[in-house]
Amino acid sequence: MQFPAPDLFSSHRLLLITDQLPAPADFLLHRFLHLHLRQSKTAKCFVLAVSESLERWKSVASKANANVTHSESFQFIDVFDQHPPAQNRGEGPLNVISLKYIYDILSAKLSDSQTHGQIPLVILDDMTSLEWLGVSLLDLSRFARALRALCVKMDAVLVVRHHIVTPPEPDALLQHLLQLCTYHIEVRPLASGRSGAVSGEICVHLGPSMKDANEHVISRTSALQYRLTESSAVFFDKGTSTGVL
């Protein structure tokens, strides 16, 4: 069984991934990258990294036989290494000005790498940690909306990961992201706890802009289960213990 479906990566879409501490969704971010790069030699992917290092992305890609070390298709932007000119820098290491600077960098890279017929992929690996580090909800909401508008303009697909700390109550940032997303991909731990055969389960919900469509939807009652492997994950229908990559 394959997840995600290839046509999930359509332009103008915002795919919101939520996870919880017992079931982190790192593997999905890496899987999205690998699948996208395998679609075409000219496919472009930009990672806005908050919580994972370049070495980690390279290591996981190597195990999945996806070479990103010398690939021009993969561009890594460390959020904490991007600093605006001193005269334009606000107070603190991360603020609305530096977020705008990151936005400007991504905008320039997307403009320079536009390829006819190819959909760029933009991954923001951890929105939640920015809030934990002191970036205001207002600034993050504006940043998310600006990234969404930029990716629509550039015919790109945007993937954003958000950690859920207090399920089932959605926090204010999550509520904002849910209003922006095309699909909400929910990675959840098993109610019975993690086992050797099953690491967690995945549900896919429609966002506000996809109200009249039912494609790709996976309800909680028929959630797709997965088992993590050294290089990726195995997916299978709920209630079974076998699957294929």
Side-chain angles (χ1 to χ4, degrees):
M1 180 175 296
Q2 183 178 1
F3 183 85
D7 58 345
L8 189 65
F9 295 102
S10 296
S11 61
H12 301 177
R13 286 182 173 175
L14 192 166
L15 307 180
L16 172 63
I17 299 176
T18 60
D19 61 7
Q20 301 176 33
L21 184 61
D26 307 56
F27 72 99
L28 266 190
L29 299 177
H30 292 279
R31 183 173 180 84
F32 284 6
L33 169 67
H34 305 158
L35 292 176
H36 186 73
L37 293 180
R38 288 169 184 163
Q39 288 180 2
S40 169
K41 292 182 179 180
T42 58
K44 300 291 184 181
C45 181
F46 305 86
V47 172
L48 301 177
V50 175
S51 62
E52 290 205 340
S53 66
L54 176 59
E55 289 69 26
R56 169 66 175 165
W57 284 91
K58 288 181 178 179
S59 174
V60 176
S62 176
K63 292 177 182 178
N65 295 320
N67 183 16
V68 300
T69 303
H70 304 292
S71 174
E72 295 182 357
S73 298
F74 172 71
Q75 298 198 37
F76 183 86
I77 303 171
D78 189 329
V79 169
F80 298 107
D81 281 347
Q82 309 305 320
H83 303 292
Q87 65 271 22
N88 296 327
R89 192 178 304 166
E91 295 181 0
L94 264 178
N95 50 47
V96 65
I97 298 178
S98 60
L99 289 179
K100 183 181 184 306
Y101 188 66
I102 294 163
Y103 168 90
D104 290 340
I105 291 173
L106 177 63
S107 178
K109 288 182 177 293
L110 283 171
S111 297
D112 292 342
S113 62
Q114 282 189 309
T115 304
H116 181 69
Q118 295 298 326
I119 299 173
L121 172 65
V122 178
I123 298 175
L124 175 56
D125 72 345
D126 188 352
M127 176 71 86
T128 321
S129 290
L130 293 176
E131 186 177 26
W132 292 344
L133 289 169
V135 182
S136 71
L137 174 62
L138 178 60
D139 290 344
L140 286 176
S141 298
R142 289 174 173 171
F143 185 53
R145 192 173 293 278
L147 288 180
R148 172 84 164 99
L150 175 64
C151 288
V152 168
K153 178 182 178 182
M154 297 294 183
D155 293 325
V157 56
L158 174 62
V159 175
V160 175
R161 193 254 296 263
H162 178 75
H163 301 300
I164 296 180
V165 181
T166 56
E169 295 297 328
D171 56 74
L173 179 57
L174 175 57
Q175 292 179 19
H176 178 78
L177 293 173
L178 287 172
Q179 291 302 310
L180 292 178
C181 73
T182 311
Y183 286 100
H184 170 206
I185 302 172
E186 183 184 18
V187 180
R188 313 186 324 150
L190 296 178
S192 58
R194 185 170 176 174
S195 70
V198 183
S199 303
E201 60 185 27
I202 297 173
C203 313
V204 181
H205 314 286
L206 293 177
S209 63
M210 297 291 286
K211 289 181 180 179
D212 298 328
N214 290 315
E215 59 178 349
H216 308 304
V217 171
I218 304 175
S219 67
R220 289 181 177 179
T221 56
S222 58
L224 182 68
Q225 295 186 332
Y226 67 90
R227 180 174 66 254
L228 296 178
T229 67
E230 183 178 351
S231 62
S232 184
V234 176
F235 301 92
F236 41 87
D237 291 329
K238 192 172 185 177
T240 65
S241 60
T242 59
V244 295
L245 284 176

